Amino acid sequence: MIVILKNKPDPDQLEGLISWLNAQDIDVHPTVGSSQTILGLVGDTSRIDMNLIAALDIVEAVKRVAEPYKNANRKFHPDDTVIRVGDAVIGGGSLTVIAGPCAVESEDQLMTVAKAVKEAGANLLRASAFKPRSSPYSFQGLGIEGIRLLMKEKEEVGLPVVSEIYDSSQLPLFAEIDVLMVGAKNMQNYALLRALGKTEKPVILKRGFSNTYEEWLMSAEYILAGGNKNVILCERGIRTFEPSVSGTLDVTSVPVLKGLTHLPVIIDPSSAGGKYTYVPALARAGVAAGADGVMIEVHNDPTRAKCDGPQSLTPKKFAKTAESLRRIHSIIHEEEM
Ligand code: PEP
Ligand code: MN
């Protein structure tokens, strides 16, 4: 962190600032110029409130030169984080395909889709029992009954499951759920993130509609700092000035995030596109950009789905898409070797 001081700073105030920083284990290295003095701050500045410093009378500006996230930062953890869920391996160059309905609706729906996506090569099943919808009048999920059906799927079909959690009070119900998903609306639900940090369960952390990479990584930091190292980032489309699509898939986020962090990065082309016709192309773009996986919504009867039918692929279309993703992934892999 660098602090640029105003011309002729009051010596007592400067002394006060330096001793306040020293008390927090920060070494201060002043560089005195003819018209301006700058302070170089060395140490763990992630806990220093830069706004507090910026508000001082003697301070012109404060700039961070190190990222405020430590645990998620690739600089301190150069190797990719690899997360294992059953037979699935997420991160480290593999392609993880997560597929399934937006929500658990019935036993027949869940088992039919689970069998179909497994057959098409999916590694994990997604299906939410608890749905925080934009409208309180929309289908909110089957709740505990949905969790029971997911357990049944694991026994009968055998795919590990990903399901959405939006309140820490739901945690006891998720004891047998393999991967917890934090939806875009809850990316900054810090109480929830802290609670997930105390578990060992893999967490898929979706990017909020309007959040920056740094805000997203700071949310991941909440989980990691609590001791849970199993975080997967999921780009799901952001809000832009374009009103004709549900969101704009930020493909750029994939290479950028892969550089900034060691955490696996996956994409959700279904939430991004909002319409099933866009899903295969967006999924392929994500894998081509280097994503560690995709999460795709699949429904056996999309026109009658209780949640996100318009963006769901049929099992047949999903199988075709999954095949093309494997081909793209293998081309990228060959090039890197
Ligand atoms: C979902 O994956 O079903 C979902 C609700 O997505 P998001 O939180 O990204 O809107
Ligand atoms: Mn959905």
Side-chain angles (χ1 to χ4, degrees):
M1 195 179 281
I2 291 169
V3 180
I4 301 159
L5 299 177
K6 283 184 185 154
N7 203 2
K8 298 197 180 73
D10 177 77
D12 290 342
Q13 284 190 34
L14 178 56
E15 184 55 41
L17 171 60
I18 294 175
S19 39
W20 178 74
L21 289 164
N22 289 158
Q24 296 179 78
D25 284 337
I26 303 294
D27 288 334
V28 180
H29 299 266
T31 306
V32 184
S34 56
S35 63
Q36 207 156 35
T37 297
I38 57 175
L39 307 176
L41 273 45
V42 179
D44 180 4
T45 55
S46 58
R47 289 172 196 274
I48 303 288
D49 183 349
M50 60 190 282
N51 295 325
L52 216 54
I53 302 176
L56 297 174
D57 286 342
I58 56 167
V59 173
E60 179 79 43
V62 184
K63 294 195 189 322
R64 265 196 193 282
V65 286
E67 299 82 7
Y69 45 89
K70 277 191 123 24
N71 288 281
N73 201 325
R74 198 184 269 284
K75 275 185 196 150
F76 307 118
H77 310 263
D79 295 336
D80 283 354
T81 285
V82 177
I83 299 168
R84 285 165 212 280
V85 183
D87 293 336
V89 178
I90 310 163
S94 62
L95 174 69
T96 303
V97 178
I98 306 170
C102 181
V104 184
E105 296 173 20
S106 69
E107 180 166 345
D108 180 51
Q109 171 245 20
L110 189 68
M111 301 303 165
T112 306
V113 177
K115 282 179 201 151
V117 299
K118 187 182 181 194
E119 176 78 22
N123 309 100
L124 291 107
L125 176 74
R126 64 145 293 152
S128 293
F130 294 91
K131 288 299 310 175
R133 305 294 298 281
S134 303
S135 164
Y137 310 117
S138 303
F139 177 61
Q140 304 284 309
L142 295 182
I144 296 175
E145 171 62 7
I147 299 280
R148 190 188 69 77
L149 292 173
L150 288 169
M151 299 302 94
K152 201 159 185 221
E153 180 284 328
K154 280 176 65 168
E155 258 176 42
E156 293 179 9
V157 184
L159 280 180
V161 294
V162 177
S163 205
E164 182 166 358
I165 184 164
Y166 60 83
D167 192 307
S168 58
S169 66
Q170 295 161 343
L171 259 174
L173 300 171
F174 282 69
E176 303 299 323
I177 300 294
D178 301 280
V179 180
L180 311 180
M181 172 162 79
V182 176
K185 301 179 190 89
N186 278 298
M187 190 202 86
Q188 290 180 309
N189 179 343
Y190 298 124
L192 173 64
L193 301 178
R194 272 193 199 284
L196 298 182
K198 296 199 188 95
T199 74
E200 288 180 352
K201 296 237 183 235
V203 177
I204 293 179
L205 178 63
K206 295 189 120 189
R207 180 184 185 183
F209 312 109
S210 303
N211 287 110
T212 63
Y213 300 150
E214 188 167 296
E215 287 163 345
W216 190 10
L217 288 167
M218 288 308 284
S219 287
E221 196 71 14
Y222 266 86
I223 304 171
L224 298 165
N228 184 353
K229 304 298 177 201
N230 303 311
V231 178
I232 299 150
L233 301 168
C234 179
E235 160 61 34
R236 45 80 67 218
I238 51 171
R239 188 163 284 178
T240 67
F241 48 81
E242 177 51 60
S244 71
V245 281
S246 139
T248 297
L249 182 72
D250 179 12
V251 181
T252 310
S253 71
V254 178
V256 174
L257 268 286
K258 300 279 302 169
L260 295 175
T261 182
H262 50 92
L263 299 172
V265 180
I266 66 170
I267 58 132
D268 170 354
S270 310
S271 301
K275 200 171 165 190
Y276 78 91
T277 46
Y278 307 145
V279 171
L282 296 178
R284 291 195 286 260
V287 174
D292 294 292
V294 294
M295 180 157 66
I296 298 180
E297 292 191 342
V298 180
H299 200 286
N300 54 327
D301 191 357
T303 56
R304 289 196 179 79
K306 290 188 175 160
C307 189
D308 288 348
Q311 66 195 39
S312 299
L313 295 183
T314 58
K316 203 170 154 194
K317 290 195 183 92
F318 167 71
K320 251 181 101 177
T321 303
E323 180 50 33
S324 70
L325 299 182
R326 285 189 287 268
R327 295 218 305 272
I328 291 170
H329 181 255
S330 71
I331 292 170
I332 293 170
H333 220 61
E334 276 164 27
E335 276 181 4
E336 281 173 354
M337 290 197 305

